[in-house]
Amino acid sequence: MIDLEDQKLQKEVYRPVTRITSYYVDNQKFSQAIHEYTLKCKEAAEAGKPRPPVSNYIGECFMKISEGVARLNQFNRYTWKEDMIADGIENCLRYVTNYNIDTFTRTSNPNAFYYFSKIVYYSFIRRIKKENRQTEIKQRYTTMNYNIDDFIFADPQNNGEQTSSSFVENAICDQTHFYSD
């Protein structure tokens, strides 16, 4: 009896791990779709027509690539993750015509997945630098311009006349005494 229970537990514990394939992009199919699209873009440019829209499959692949890169540990905890994903998709759409299927790869197979993963990766880096610059500007502005004496409030104890920050300081002291009692 014990052996059967142990075997059941082992089967439950040691289940094979299945990968989620919906997050991944088939590189051969994706590279072929990108190659066909770049050929259509070249034909449209030669005819003087506007660039044709990207197919739904290519757009879905761009989304999967951007969301996959956003799940990396180095990008996982940023609050502006949606902005990074949007920037990645935008940059993929911007540089889709620059992809060259004849470029040399280690396996001598076209690798559009790598090309667009790098585009997304560097767009995430640019977004992080941009957000860090904005945060630094906000911090500099608040440290240089923030002085509690600059605030003027209406003091209800002084018939509504405006006084300096002593009203605020007294209110803060009253609150701290209230919580300390």
Side-chain angles (χ1 to χ4, degrees), residues 44-59:
E46 290 172 358
K49 296 180 181 177
R51 193 164 88 174
V54 177
S55 68
N56 287 339
Y57 175 73
I58 293 174

Side-chain angles (χ1 to χ4, degrees), residues 16 29 35 41-42 52 64 88 109 129 136 140 162 172:
K29 191 174 172 184
H35 180 64
C41 288
K42 287 178 183 177
K64 287 179 182 178
N109 294 329
K129 286 181 181 179
E136 183 181 325
R140 245 187 299 147
Q162 292 183 344
I172 291 171

Side-chain angles (χ1 to χ4, degrees), residues 113-127:
F113 180 78
Y114 176 77
Y115 177 77
F116 289 105
S117 295
K118 282 299 178 185
I119 288 175
V120 170
Y121 178 84
Y122 287 116
S123 71
F124 283 14
I125 298 294
R126 282 190 298 274
R127 170 57 77 168

